Each structure stands twice: as structure tokens, then as C-alpha cells.
Amino acid sequence: MPSRLFTTSEIRESFLTYFANKGCVRYPSASLLPENDPTTLFTVAGMSQFKDMFLGRGSHPFTRATTSQKCLRTNDILNVGRTARHHTFFEMLGNFSFNDYFKTEAIHWAWEYLTQVLSLDPSRLSISVHRIDDEAYRIWNQEIGIPPERIFRLGDSDNFWPADAPTQGPEGPGGFCSEIFWDFRTNDDPKDNLTSSTGRFVEIWNLVFPQFNVRKPNGDGSPNLEQLGRTNIDTGMGLERICCVVQGVYNNFDIDLLQSIVREVVRISGQPYDTTVKEGPQAALNVLLRRVSDHVRAITFCVTDGALPGNTGRGYIVRRLIRRATLDIDKLGVSESRLHEIVGAVVAAMADAYPDIAKRQDLVRETLKAEEAAFRRTLRRGLELLGRALERHAGATVFSGDDAFELVTTHGFPKEVIAELVGEKGMTIDEARYTVRWDEHTAISNTKQIEVFTSSALQEAKPRLGATPFQGYDAQPLGTTITLLELGGREVTEAPAGSQVRFALGATPFYAESGGQVADTGLVQGEGFRIRVTDCQKDEGLVIHSGLVEQGPARPGAVTATVDAERRKDITRHHSATHLLHAALGQTLGSHIEQQGSKVESASLRFDFNNPSGMTPAQITQVEDWVNQRIHEGHLVEIKQMPIEEARTLGAKAQFGEKYGTQVRVITMGPETPVSREFCGGCHVQNTREIRAFRIVKEEATAAGIRRITAVAGRAAMALASHEADLAREVADLIGMQSMDDPRLMDALAQTLKVPRKDLAARIQQMQKEMFDLAGRLQVTLITASGSAVERVDHLQAELKRLRRLEESKQAQSAAGSSELLLDRIEEFNGISLLIAQIESADAKGLGMMVESLRSKRASLLLVLASDSGGRATLAVGVTKDLINRGLAAGEIVKQLAESIGGRGGGRPELAQAGVPDASRLGEALAGVKPLVLKLLRG
Ligand code: ALA
């Protein structure tokens, strides 16, 4: 039955509005990356962000909420596109009560929303409740009026949420639930009901009544449910499913929102989509088209929320999604990196509800493009290898573990994709052999790639080791202990000298790479051993140090950890300079500036920000001056922990898309009258004076609307300054100045000549050379320059201009001279004076001047000249007024002639020119002049 609401956006909105009217706070979707929740990689349900509220420990002031939650589940990734219901990314509509309304309201409202707001046919809805939940049964049966034959009493796997949690976990809030099913009427078998797996009855809404805290089952396996003493509501309705119902389609991918993405994949691949076909090649195409759409949508949201492709954890899931999508679109016949083109369709379809995906779409596109291209570099060879291997295996049931291993390690194929591909040929991977190769590989190699595929001892120990306290803002040596030493992915009690190890410390002075600041390096020394620390990464709080055992054997136990303090000092100078740069950009370009990323290293810094256009040299100078001024003023740098609200009130700058806890660390430069205030966990100087100097090296675009500044501070800036002093001396010599001490002068000259400072000397030299050459050729005397540096350079430019003009007019004169001779070749054709000629090597400009001068010499003339100068062929046409009136326009003639031989051009009716790629066809074009003239005269 048609509903007034139809599109996905309308349905999402109507749900939130309906529950807002019931007193639920419309709360934003949580990030796809759960904060402070190490138990899950991605948000999988609407209730994830409210776990604590159900337990009575939450901090929200409200007791009712409603959301449309972004969710990602990858456990069923192999089914995506094959079935009508699976996705990786999907949206869950939910309404929640935190010890407020309970079963009666939850059920009545769900029913009212479905049957009154969406106008669904009540006779097509059936219900399940938990076997012992008489209360829910009664409400459905007696209050709503659902007949007993459409209410089903089921057990823990169907009607407890999380399913089977009482006996199998996980721990956390849970309770009985009641599910609402829609009858798609795909068959009319009276025995079919919601417990059968025909796909006719589809669960659309799950109403959960969390009233327990699920604990680890008792020793005998019996449930351990702790009564919360609170009655909560958690509901979840798959948006894609309910849209199927309302829109009258069966497959989730056929709803308006997903179709708009599928259509984009169809456009790019040129492959047809036909959802009515369930078998054969078209069905296989449907699967690929749906899967690519699903994955690009998921990737768009992951990257937007900050999960970038990587080798571990969330990053690896994103990488796998991109690789799977690449393989799929490749199968669809697209052999170049084009997945990023699909992002626009996702943004168009969903930015109304999730504006962040529009704000970060450039990042998503760039990430996808780079990652797809990187995978594609080995894809061809991988596919060839796979093809050959499959041929060799014809008729076999087991696929070689060696081949699978090589595809994974060398070509980056996700293992489950190989399993899928060989599965299509009826084979399974030789797991035993694969594992042997794998173990050998991890024992000999210590590349990060290992982490992709196996979980290492450190990763397994993460829950036990917990987060590593950072005790190194002051970069002092720290007495601590190695709590776990890892060699080749395994925990060891000893690692010999020369080996590459990874290890965890009880507390660490090493700053792990984060917030754009690079990892520290340094030394870890224990009884009789020394490890040179080369890298340091955070894995959900656990800091994993990597290094080389220089003296050994290294052992777990007491050590002294020492950061390379000089390098750290250079890093802090660059980090503090980055904050000043951020502030300076806001001052100079406007308050729309937001940080889009940064990289702080010991030798330089990089800062990305949004700005619609590039900066002018004057703006760059202004920014640089502002920063240097603040450095010289010597502002104190104050570092303070404070509640996030307070930080926001103070106007501290946060990084776009970054997650912050309730307590934040705020860096303020100049506490009295702040010159910069930012949220930041990184390392900083105590006084801006320590930064010493700041120079911008480069300003460039990285993506549409995103600019990048590369700059240096401290020692690096001083080195650059001395290099620039050398350049200034060189420039001074060139223009005959005694000295150019003021660095501003170089900027002024760079602006005058519109080149970067570093290219100034080269440019001046080149201009001077041209000037002397021209003066020699034209035999004119140069006028000598004097005055200031800028005046001298202005003079140089003016002289050059004068000489160039002089040469041009000389050329024009000689063109006029040589063209006189051509006038002898004018012929009469159908009452028209016509001149057709091919000239020896005049360039486009010379040819134009020639046509111009010849045309002016006759009262009535049509002339067509062709010339070939060094492979660049040109046609030029000139027509006098009287002939234009007879239908012979130069623009039209040159256009048609050029197009007949693959060129392009046009122009005014009097004079027009065209470039032609193939000079050898000029004769052909000239031969076409007369027939064309006839045609135009008649037409
Ligand atoms: N939390 C419940 C689910 O995910 C609503 O199904």
C-alpha cells in the first residue's frame, strides 16, 4: 500500500521525528569508531554509545533518545551482494529508554509508527517474543490485537539480545527482545512462517528490553544474569530493510538510496544491473555491482570517521574493503583506479543526514585513489599467477598453500578472497602448507606487513598489558621494565644481538606517533644489553616499540629508556611552530581555516588546511612574519588539562574529525593574551623563543580545496636562512648591488618576478641572457639600470619587453616583405580572387601576420596559407569584407579545413587560424579549399 513517505531520507527523518515527539532526544550518530571501547573495532548497533546509560553509569542528562546510527559489521562480508539483506555498512534506526519507558510504550509506539506513520498493512506483520516473556506476549496479543498464530515464542538465540549472551557472552547490558517481521509474500505456502528460512518473512525491527547485566556464565555453563534494577529500551530497525518494505522492493540494494550508488557503478563499468535475474552471468554481475557499491559506501564512512587504510585493526579492515572492491570492479572490466569516482554518489545520497562525508570527501577520494592504485600495481601479476595456478589445479580439490601464500604476501590479496575464488572452482586452500609458509615468513621477516595477517604476541597480550602510561614530556631518561619482548611475532625471554625486536614497557618516555607528531627514537638499556629504538606506535593505548638489539641478548625486565633528546627538541620546535602557523593562517586568511592534517618531524613540518585558492606571495610573507614575530616576543607556553566544555568555551582549536575525551589537554601560547590555543597531546617548547626561527618552504594544493604548507623551524630554519643568504648574495651580484641584507628584498623581487625565492637567481640570469642575446641580434644599445634592487629588476623586465617588441616588429616587417612575392600567385576562381599557398616554416604567429598583411593589400581576396614549423602545422585564413558578405567567413573555412585532417581551430570572419597535429596532411587540406568555397557560395 502506498505510503506518503517514500525515500530513504524521508523515512529516516520520519522515524526520528516520530520518536522526538515521544520525548526522545534526537541524538547524533556516534562515530563508526567507538570511543573508549576496546572490545569492538567498529560500532555495530545503535546502543553501542549508550552502554553505560543502560547500566546506570552514563553521563547524559536525558532518559530517552533516538538515533540513526552508522554501523559496520564485517563478519558476514562474504554474503554481501549475494543475499538480499547483507551489508558491511548500514544504518540502524533506534529509540532508547534509560530506565524510563518500557515494554508497553516500546511496543505500542513501534506498532503505531509502522501502521500509522508508514501505513503498513497490519496483516503482513508477525511477531516473536522470548519463550518466557509473558508480558510482551500479552501486550502484543491483548493490547495490540495480534492473533496467536502470528506470535511466536522462541529461545535465547532468537529472542535474547545479544543472541545467546546468557550462555556465551559477551558481557554487558542485555535482555529479552521481541522482533517484528514483514511478510514479503514471495510464496503462498500456508506452512511458511517467520521461523523458516525461505526469505519470505524478514525481521525488520528488534525491540530489546535490557534489564540485565550479562556476566560470564557460571562454572557449569548456566547463565549469570545480574538484575540491573533498571528497565531500559533499546530498539534497532535496519533502515535499508524498512525502505524495502515501504518501496515495495525485495532486495535492500534496490531501494532508492543504494540504487543511486549502484547506478554510478553501472555507469563507470558499463555493465548492466538487472535485479530480476537470479542466475547465470547477469546474476554474477549483480553481485559485483552491489558489492562495489556497498564497499565504497563503507569506505567513505570509515575514512570520514578517521579509519585510514593500514596494516592492523581497523586500518586493515578498511584496506581489505578497498582491495575487495578493487578486485570486484576489475572483474567488471574497469582496469584503472576509478573507485574514487563512486564517492560522489555516496555523498549525494547521504550527506543530508551525515554532513561530515561531504566535508571530508576529498580525503576519501584521495585515500581511495592512492590505495587502489597501490594495490593495482601488483594486481595484474597476481591475477595472472592465480589464473595459471588455477589452470595447473584443473580437476583438483585442494589449492596449493604455496600459491595462496604468495598471493597474500607478494600481491596483497586478502586470503578470504583467494578462498572465495578457488572455492568457485570447487577447491579449498591447503591450510596446513599455508600455515607452515606463514610461520617461516613471520620468523624471518620483521616487516610491518606481518601484522596484517597474524596477530602477534603483543597484540594478543593487549588486554593484559593495557594502555602504556606516557612519562616523557620532559624527555628525561626513565627507569622502567620491558614487560613483553617479541621476536618474529612470538613472545621470547631472550633476543640475540643483531635481531629486530618489538617490545612493551611498563611506562614509556617515547612519544608514539600520533596527532601528526612522529615517533621518538632513542635507546633502551638493561643489564648487559642495548636496544636502539627506531619506531614507536600506539595500538589502542598499548605502545609498541620497535628496535634493533645492538648489544645482547636483550631480556624482559628492568631497563633505562632514553629518548634521543636533541631530535625530540627539534620535533617540539616544529610542533609549537605548527600551532603558531595555524593561528597565523586564521589571522591572514580568515576564520574558515581548519586543520585537515599535519606532520611534525625533526627536520620539517607539514600543515594541511582548507582554503579555496592558493596563497599569494604577500600572504605567505605575512604568515611567516607573524609567526617569527611571536617567536621573538617570547611567549610562555602553558599546558593544562581541562574539561572539554571549558576548552571549547576558551575557543581552543580542535582538529576537524578528531575524537576527544571529556578531559582534554590544551596548549596555550601567551597565557596572558593568548596568541594560540589548541587541543593537543603532543610535545612543545616552554617558551616560543626556543623555536628560534620559522621559514615557509612551499605552499601547494594536495586536493581540491585543501592546501599544504611545508615549513621549517629551529635549526632547519636557520640552515635555510643561511642558504637564502647565499642566494641573496648571488642575486645581488647579478643585479650589481653591493648587498641584499634584508630578506624582505628577496621576497619583493620574488613577487615582482612571480617566482619562488629559490628560483630568483636562475630567473634573473635567464632574463639577462635573453636580453643580451636580443640586443646582440638587434644591434641595439642597452640602457643601464640603477637604483634599488626592485628598480633594477623592474628595469630588466622593461628592457626585455622593449627588445622583444622590437624583434617582433622586425619579424613583421620581414613577413610583409616576403609575402609581397606571394601576391603573384593569386588566381581567379568562380569570380573570386583566391590565394592558396604552403609557406616554408613560419610559426603560427608569423603566419598570422603574413595573412593579415596580404589581406590588407587587396580590396577583395580569400587567402589560405599553411605552414609547418618543426612538426607544429598551422592553417591560416584571411577574407576581405565583400567576400564575408557572400558567405565566406574565415572562421568557418579554417574550422572545416582543419577538421577534415584531424585539427581544430576557428576565429573571426576576417581572420582565423587552426592547429593541425599531422603536418603531412596539410596538402590534403589545401586541396579541399576550392570544393569548400563552392559549397559555401552555394549554401
Ligand atoms: N541492539 C539491538 C540490535 O542490534 C537493537 O539488534
mmCIF file of all heavy atoms in Angstrom, residues 44-48 54 71 73 90 92-96 161-162 177 179 203 205-208 210 234-237, ligand 1:
data_model
loop_
_atom_site.group_PDB
_atom_site.id
_atom_site.type_symbol
_atom_site.label_atom_id
_atom_site.label_comp_id
_atom_site.label_asym_id
_atom_site.label_seq_id
_atom_site.Cartn_x
_atom_site.Cartn_y
_atom_site.Cartn_z
ATOM 1 N N VAL A 44 28.582 -1.369 16.053
ATOM 2 C CA VAL A 44 27.759 -2.374 15.386
ATOM 3 C C VAL A 44 26.275 -2.214 15.659
ATOM 4 O O VAL A 44 25.460 -2.924 15.078
ATOM 5 C CB VAL A 44 28.169 -3.811 15.782
ATOM 6 C CG1 VAL A 44 29.571 -4.114 15.303
ATOM 7 C CG2 VAL A 44 28.048 -4.005 17.284
ATOM 8 N N ALA A 45 25.898 -1.311 16.556
ATOM 9 C CA ALA A 45 24.481 -1.152 16.863
ATOM 10 C C ALA A 45 24.241 0.235 17.456
ATOM 11 O O ALA A 45 25.173 0.880 17.959
ATOM 12 C CB ALA A 45 24.019 -2.219 17.854
ATOM 13 N N GLY A 46 22.995 0.652 17.400
ATOM 14 C CA GLY A 46 22.635 1.967 17.917
ATOM 15 C C GLY A 46 22.927 2.092 19.401
ATOM 16 O O GLY A 46 23.205 3.182 19.904
ATOM 17 N N MET A 47 22.866 0.949 20.118
ATOM 18 C CA MET A 47 23.022 1.031 21.568
ATOM 19 C C MET A 47 24.480 1.177 22.012
ATOM 20 O O MET A 47 24.737 1.520 23.160
ATOM 21 C CB MET A 47 22.402 -0.190 22.256
ATOM 22 C CG MET A 47 22.934 -1.540 21.860
ATOM 23 S SD MET A 47 24.509 -1.994 22.631
ATOM 24 C CE MET A 47 23.939 -2.253 24.305
ATOM 25 N N SER A 48 25.439 0.944 21.082
ATOM 26 C CA SER A 48 26.853 0.939 21.497
ATOM 27 C C SER A 48 27.208 2.182 22.300
ATOM 28 O O SER A 48 27.865 2.108 23.331
ATOM 29 C CB SER A 48 27.779 0.841 20.288
ATOM 30 O OG SER A 48 27.433 -0.264 19.491
ATOM 31 N N PHE A 54 22.618 2.369 30.004
ATOM 32 C CA PHE A 54 21.773 1.232 30.409
ATOM 33 C C PHE A 54 22.180 0.722 31.782
ATOM 34 O O PHE A 54 21.370 0.282 32.567
ATOM 35 C CB PHE A 54 21.879 0.094 29.397
ATOM 36 C CG PHE A 54 21.235 0.426 28.068
ATOM 37 C CD1 PHE A 54 21.936 0.301 26.885
ATOM 38 C CD2 PHE A 54 19.920 0.849 28.011
ATOM 39 C CE1 PHE A 54 21.345 0.606 25.673
ATOM 40 C CE2 PHE A 54 19.315 1.153 26.798
ATOM 41 C CZ PHE A 54 20.027 1.032 25.624
ATOM 42 N N CYS A 71 26.551 1.982 11.244
ATOM 43 C CA CYS A 71 27.081 0.726 11.777
ATOM 44 C C CYS A 71 27.943 0.028 10.721
ATOM 45 O O CYS A 71 27.729 0.191 9.527
ATOM 46 C CB CYS A 71 25.952 -0.231 12.131
ATOM 47 S SG CYS A 71 24.823 0.403 13.370
ATOM 48 N N ARG A 73 29.498 -3.952 10.093
ATOM 49 C CA ARG A 73 29.699 -5.338 10.515
ATOM 50 C C ARG A 73 30.384 -6.061 9.367
ATOM 51 O O ARG A 73 29.920 -6.009 8.238
ATOM 52 C CB ARG A 73 28.364 -6.023 10.814
ATOM 53 C CG ARG A 73 27.609 -5.398 11.984
ATOM 54 C CD ARG A 73 26.334 -6.158 12.337
ATOM 55 N NE ARG A 73 25.621 -5.476 13.416
ATOM 56 C CZ ARG A 73 24.431 -5.862 13.876
ATOM 57 N NH1 ARG A 73 23.809 -6.918 13.355
ATOM 58 N NH2 ARG A 73 23.848 -5.205 14.855
ATOM 59 N N PHE A 90 25.714 -0.178 7.340
ATOM 60 C CA PHE A 90 24.267 0.008 7.246
ATOM 61 C C PHE A 90 23.837 1.011 8.311
ATOM 62 O O PHE A 90 24.615 1.397 9.174
ATOM 63 C CB PHE A 90 23.523 -1.322 7.416
ATOM 64 C CG PHE A 90 23.666 -1.936 8.785
ATOM 65 C CD1 PHE A 90 22.667 -1.798 9.738
ATOM 66 C CD2 PHE A 90 24.804 -2.652 9.129
ATOM 67 C CE1 PHE A 90 22.800 -2.352 11.003
ATOM 68 C CE2 PHE A 90 24.952 -3.210 10.388
ATOM 69 C CZ PHE A 90 23.940 -3.060 11.331
ATOM 70 N N MET A 92 21.157 1.958 11.370
ATOM 71 C CA MET A 92 20.192 1.390 12.299
ATOM 72 C C MET A 92 19.396 2.514 12.962
ATOM 73 O O MET A 92 19.960 3.411 13.581
ATOM 74 C CB MET A 92 20.909 0.566 13.373
ATOM 75 C CG MET A 92 19.934 -0.196 14.270
ATOM 76 S SD MET A 92 20.776 -1.126 15.568
ATOM 77 C CE MET A 92 21.392 -2.520 14.645
ATOM 78 N N LEU A 93 18.073 2.456 12.779
ATOM 79 C CA LEU A 93 17.201 3.423 13.447
ATOM 80 C C LEU A 93 16.897 2.890 14.832
ATOM 81 O O LEU A 93 16.576 1.708 14.977
ATOM 82 C CB LEU A 93 15.897 3.580 12.664
ATOM 83 C CG LEU A 93 16.031 4.098 11.228
ATOM 84 C CD1 LEU A 93 14.686 3.995 10.504
ATOM 85 C CD2 LEU A 93 16.520 5.534 11.231
ATOM 86 N N GLY A 94 16.971 3.734 15.836
ATOM 87 C CA GLY A 94 16.719 3.233 17.183
ATOM 88 C C GLY A 94 16.020 4.236 18.067
ATOM 89 O O GLY A 94 16.091 5.439 17.843
ATOM 90 N N ASN A 95 15.282 3.714 19.047
ATOM 91 C CA ASN A 95 14.799 4.569 20.124
ATOM 92 C C ASN A 95 15.200 3.905 21.434
ATOM 93 O O ASN A 95 15.270 2.675 21.517
ATOM 94 C CB ASN A 95 13.295 4.817 20.029
ATOM 95 C CG ASN A 95 12.477 3.544 20.088
ATOM 96 O OD1 ASN A 95 12.528 2.742 19.165
ATOM 97 N ND2 ASN A 95 11.725 3.353 21.166
ATOM 98 N N PHE A 96 15.538 4.715 22.414
ATOM 99 C CA PHE A 96 16.155 4.209 23.634
ATOM 100 C C PHE A 96 15.529 4.818 24.874
ATOM 101 O O PHE A 96 15.205 5.998 24.894
ATOM 102 C CB PHE A 96 17.661 4.539 23.638
ATOM 103 C CG PHE A 96 18.353 4.127 22.383
ATOM 104 C CD1 PHE A 96 18.485 5.016 21.315
ATOM 105 C CD2 PHE A 96 18.831 2.837 22.231
ATOM 106 C CE1 PHE A 96 19.092 4.629 20.141
ATOM 107 C CE2 PHE A 96 19.445 2.437 21.051
ATOM 108 C CZ PHE A 96 19.570 3.338 20.005
ATOM 109 N N TRP A 161 18.957 -10.471 23.454
ATOM 110 C CA TRP A 161 19.966 -9.670 22.756
ATOM 111 C C TRP A 161 20.993 -9.202 23.752
ATOM 112 O O TRP A 161 20.624 -8.694 24.804
ATOM 113 C CB TRP A 161 19.340 -8.453 22.064
ATOM 114 C CG TRP A 161 20.246 -7.982 20.963
ATOM 115 C CD1 TRP A 161 20.275 -8.422 19.672
ATOM 116 C CD2 TRP A 161 21.300 -7.011 21.088
ATOM 117 N NE1 TRP A 161 21.281 -7.781 18.977
ATOM 118 C CE2 TRP A 161 21.921 -6.913 19.809
ATOM 119 C CE3 TRP A 161 21.786 -6.213 22.130
ATOM 120 C CZ2 TRP A 161 22.998 -6.069 19.555
ATOM 121 C CZ3 TRP A 161 22.867 -5.374 21.884
ATOM 122 C CH2 TRP A 161 23.460 -5.299 20.597
ATOM 123 N N PRO A 162 22.292 -9.414 23.464
ATOM 124 C CA PRO A 162 22.851 -10.093 22.303
ATOM 125 C C PRO A 162 22.488 -11.580 22.291
ATOM 126 O O PRO A 162 22.361 -12.181 23.362
ATOM 127 C CB PRO A 162 24.361 -9.923 22.483
ATOM 128 C CG PRO A 162 24.532 -8.778 23.427
ATOM 129 C CD PRO A 162 23.330 -8.797 24.310
ATOM 130 N N CYS A 177 14.103 -9.923 23.941
ATOM 131 C CA CYS A 177 13.702 -8.998 22.898
ATOM 132 C C CYS A 177 12.510 -9.552 22.142
ATOM 133 O O CYS A 177 12.142 -10.722 22.284
ATOM 134 C CB CYS A 177 14.862 -8.699 21.953
ATOM 135 S SG CYS A 177 15.467 -10.103 21.037
ATOM 136 N N GLU A 179 10.817 -9.373 18.207
ATOM 137 C CA GLU A 179 11.124 -8.931 16.853
ATOM 138 C C GLU A 179 9.855 -8.832 16.011
ATOM 139 O O GLU A 179 8.928 -9.617 16.172
ATOM 140 C CB GLU A 179 12.122 -9.891 16.199
ATOM 141 C CG GLU A 179 13.448 -9.910 16.944
ATOM 142 C CD GLU A 179 14.514 -10.729 16.245
ATOM 143 O OE1 GLU A 179 14.180 -11.767 15.643
ATOM 144 O OE2 GLU A 179 15.689 -10.340 16.317
ATOM 145 N N GLU A 203 12.860 -10.085 9.319
ATOM 146 C CA GLU A 203 12.827 -9.276 10.535
ATOM 147 C C GLU A 203 13.129 -7.829 10.180
ATOM 148 O O GLU A 203 14.098 -7.544 9.490
ATOM 149 C CB GLU A 203 13.896 -9.783 11.508
ATOM 150 C CG GLU A 203 13.946 -8.991 12.790
ATOM 151 C CD GLU A 203 15.369 -8.615 13.208
ATOM 152 O OE1 GLU A 203 16.283 -9.421 13.033
ATOM 153 O OE2 GLU A 203 15.531 -7.483 13.711
ATOM 154 N N TRP A 205 12.445 -5.144 12.725
ATOM 155 C CA TRP A 205 12.674 -4.285 13.905
ATOM 156 C C TRP A 205 12.865 -5.181 15.115
ATOM 157 O O TRP A 205 12.098 -6.125 15.320
ATOM 158 C CB TRP A 205 11.461 -3.370 14.112
ATOM 159 C CG TRP A 205 11.728 -2.132 14.932
ATOM 160 C CD1 TRP A 205 12.782 -1.870 15.744
ATOM 161 C CD2 TRP A 205 10.872 -0.976 14.979
ATOM 162 N NE1 TRP A 205 12.657 -0.633 16.295
ATOM 163 C CE2 TRP A 205 11.490 -0.048 15.848
ATOM 164 C CE3 TRP A 205 9.655 -0.634 14.390
ATOM 165 C CZ2 TRP A 205 10.925 1.196 16.140
ATOM 166 C CZ3 TRP A 205 9.097 0.602 14.686
ATOM 167 C CH2 TRP A 205 9.725 1.513 15.541
ATOM 168 N N ASN A 206 13.881 -4.868 15.873
ATOM 169 C CA ASN A 206 14.156 -5.620 17.085
ATOM 170 C C ASN A 206 13.956 -4.708 18.287
ATOM 171 O O ASN A 206 14.606 -3.684 18.404
ATOM 172 C CB ASN A 206 15.606 -6.151 17.038
ATOM 173 C CG ASN A 206 15.910 -7.076 18.199
ATOM 174 O OD1 ASN A 206 14.994 -7.483 18.930
ATOM 175 N ND2 ASN A 206 17.175 -7.416 18.363
ATOM 176 N N LEU A 207 13.001 -5.090 19.159
ATOM 177 C CA LEU A 207 12.776 -4.307 20.374
ATOM 178 C C LEU A 207 13.429 -5.060 21.523
ATOM 179 O O LEU A 207 13.023 -6.185 21.837
ATOM 180 C CB LEU A 207 11.271 -4.152 20.652
ATOM 181 C CG LEU A 207 10.372 -3.776 19.464
ATOM 182 C CD1 LEU A 207 8.910 -3.633 19.936
ATOM 183 C CD2 LEU A 207 10.829 -2.484 18.814
ATOM 184 N N VAL A 208 14.461 -4.468 22.112
ATOM 185 C CA VAL A 208 15.196 -5.149 23.184
ATOM 186 C C VAL A 208 14.819 -4.488 24.508
ATOM 187 O O VAL A 208 14.664 -3.270 24.589
ATOM 188 C CB VAL A 208 16.719 -5.053 22.956
ATOM 189 C CG1 VAL A 208 17.458 -5.906 23.974
ATOM 190 C CG2 VAL A 208 17.082 -5.476 21.542
ATOM 191 N N PRO A 210 16.522 -4.326 27.752
ATOM 192 C CA PRO A 210 17.696 -4.631 28.588
ATOM 193 C C PRO A 210 17.392 -4.376 30.053
ATOM 194 O O PRO A 210 17.134 -3.253 30.458
ATOM 195 C CB PRO A 210 18.768 -3.648 28.079
ATOM 196 C CG PRO A 210 18.243 -3.121 26.779
ATOM 197 C CD PRO A 210 16.757 -3.153 26.904
ATOM 198 N N ASP A 234 16.004 -0.662 24.125
ATOM 199 C CA ASP A 234 16.982 -0.495 23.042
ATOM 200 C C ASP A 234 16.317 -1.090 21.815
ATOM 201 O O ASP A 234 15.981 -2.268 21.816
ATOM 202 C CB ASP A 234 18.256 -1.279 23.401
ATOM 203 C CG ASP A 234 19.092 -1.637 22.174
ATOM 204 O OD1 ASP A 234 19.084 -0.859 21.201
ATOM 205 O OD2 ASP A 234 19.755 -2.703 22.210
ATOM 206 N N THR A 235 16.066 -0.310 20.797
ATOM 207 C CA THR A 235 15.470 -0.912 19.607
ATOM 208 C C THR A 235 16.355 -0.652 18.414
ATOM 209 O O THR A 235 17.126 0.311 18.388
ATOM 210 C CB THR A 235 14.057 -0.374 19.294
ATOM 211 O OG1 THR A 235 14.155 0.844 18.551
ATOM 212 C CG2 THR A 235 13.240 -0.181 20.550
ATOM 213 N N GLY A 236 16.235 -1.545 17.427
ATOM 214 C CA GLY A 236 17.045 -1.387 16.226
ATOM 215 C C GLY A 236 16.261 -1.802 15.004
ATOM 216 O O GLY A 236 15.752 -2.924 14.928
ATOM 217 N N MET A 237 16.120 -0.876 14.071
ATOM 218 C CA MET A 237 15.439 -1.204 12.820
ATOM 219 C C MET A 237 16.399 -0.895 11.685
ATOM 220 O O MET A 237 16.906 0.234 11.572
ATOM 221 C CB MET A 237 14.161 -0.370 12.678
ATOM 222 C CG MET A 237 13.501 -0.518 11.314
ATOM 223 S SD MET A 237 11.722 -0.322 11.372
ATOM 224 C CE MET A 237 11.564 1.413 11.679
HETATM 225 N N1 ALA B 1 20.725 -3.656 19.810
HETATM 226 C C1 ALA B 1 19.718 -4.322 19.050
HETATM 227 C C2 ALA B 1 20.222 -4.871 17.747
HETATM 228 O O1 ALA B 1 21.307 -4.562 17.353
HETATM 229 C C3 ALA B 1 18.549 -3.434 18.843
HETATM 230 O O2 ALA B 1 19.546 -5.626 17.111
#
